[in-house]
Amino acid sequence: MKKALIITDVQNDFCPGGALAVAGGDEIIASINALSQKFDRVVATQDWHPAGHVSFAGRHGRRPYERIRIASGEQELWPDHCVQGTAGADFHRDLDLRAVSLIIRKGIHPGIDSYSTFLENDRKTETGLHYYLRGLGIESLCFCGLATDYCVHYSALDALRMGFKVAVLLSACRGVDVPAGNIDRALADMQARGIRLIEGTADPVLP
Ligand code: VGL
Ligand code: ZN
């Protein structure tokens, strides 16, 4: 069975010192780099927002981490992050991109956020990633990267809905954990739905 590694949002803004820093976000890079050779394809994703994006608290005169209702539903508000073309949106410099054949950029529309790297939060706008993977005959996906409880969680769920076998490599992920307990809730949800949660990355037994 052909399998792909999906490296999620290992960008400066999600690493220590970044605008939306995830604790230990940079600690996972070495294990991600070591994983790439074990897959038929490696895809990297990038959160890639226009300035003034709908997920930015400042645009609504609110504070980061509040929640509001917008056209597409409930929206968490974040500090400005991963603005297109800025250093914060760049991949972390230590991430080895040599094996990456495709980079998917998501959250590119001013009025729609996107946690999933398949379907944006309006649940209609496609990134096109599943056509690529399907077209290559890939059936099994492994997720790693940032953040466990947002982009990894939502992407893994969509992958499952689209009929892929799905695993999440926990030691190669870190989460935001906002609100508190969010990582544990995300893990329980993924497990309950049949997503394989894998602890070590040394020699993962993939689905
Ligand atoms: C993400 C919050 C806002 C993520 C992206 O990559 O998990 N989280 N934008
Ligand atoms: Zn974002």
Side-chain angles (χ1 to χ4, degrees):
M1 194 184 316
K2 284 172 89 179
K3 53 193 192 295
L5 178 69
I6 315 291
I7 304 173
T8 306
D9 298 1
V10 181
Q11 293 167 263
N12 291 325
D13 271 343
F14 294 126
C15 289
L20 211 176
V22 175
D26 55 346
E27 294 167 5
I28 60 176
I29 296 172
S31 51
I32 293 175
N33 289 343
L35 274 166
S36 294
Q37 303 94 300
K38 302 180 199 274
F39 292 83
D40 298 295
R41 289 281 164 160
V42 183
V43 172
T45 75
Q46 236 174 342
D47 211 34
W48 193 253
H49 301 311
H53 187 249
V54 70
S55 73
F56 295 173
R59 163 171 160 172
H60 306 278
R62 300 295 195 97
R63 290 172 189 253
Y65 311 111
E66 289 181 16
R67 289 167 68 96
I68 60 166
R69 262 204 100 68
I70 59 168
S72 58
E74 285 278 306
Q75 175 70 52
E76 295 79 22
L77 296 176
W78 306 105
D80 289 17
H81 65 279
C82 298
V83 176
Q84 295 170 357
T86 64
D90 286 345
F91 290 112
H92 190 287
R93 57 184 302 211
D94 295 337
L95 183 69
D96 185 349
L97 293 167
R98 285 176 297 179
V100 171
S101 61
L102 178 73
I103 294 171
I104 286 285
R105 289 172 165 170
K106 60 185 175 56
I108 60 174
H109 304 289
I112 316 172
D113 202 7
S114 189
Y115 295 142
S116 162
T117 190
F118 296 95
L119 278 184
E120 305 221 337
N121 289 8
D122 63 351
R123 310 308 296 149
K124 289 197 282 273
T125 305
E126 299 174 327
T127 65
L129 178 57
H130 62 291
Y131 300 110
Y132 177 80
L133 297 170
R134 281 269 174 259
L136 292 170
I138 287 162
E139 295 173 70
S140 163
L141 303 183
C142 268
F143 289 87
C144 60
L146 308 170
T148 316
D149 46 340
Y150 285 95
C151 288
V152 171
H153 180 200
Y154 285 78
S155 298
L157 253 48
D158 273 355
L160 203 65
R161 287 186 193 109
M162 288 169 170
F164 294 98
K165 293 198 166 48
V166 184
V168 173
L169 302 172
L170 295 182
S171 51
C173 293
R174 292 290 185 275
V176 179
D177 218 25
V178 171
N182 208 42
I183 296 175
D184 284 343
R185 278 192 293 277
L187 296 182
D189 182 47
M190 291 192 279
Q191 191 144 43
R193 291 173 195 261
I195 291 169
R196 184 118 139 224
L197 303 180
I198 296 173
E199 287 290 345
T201 57
D203 209 1
V205 181
L206 304 172

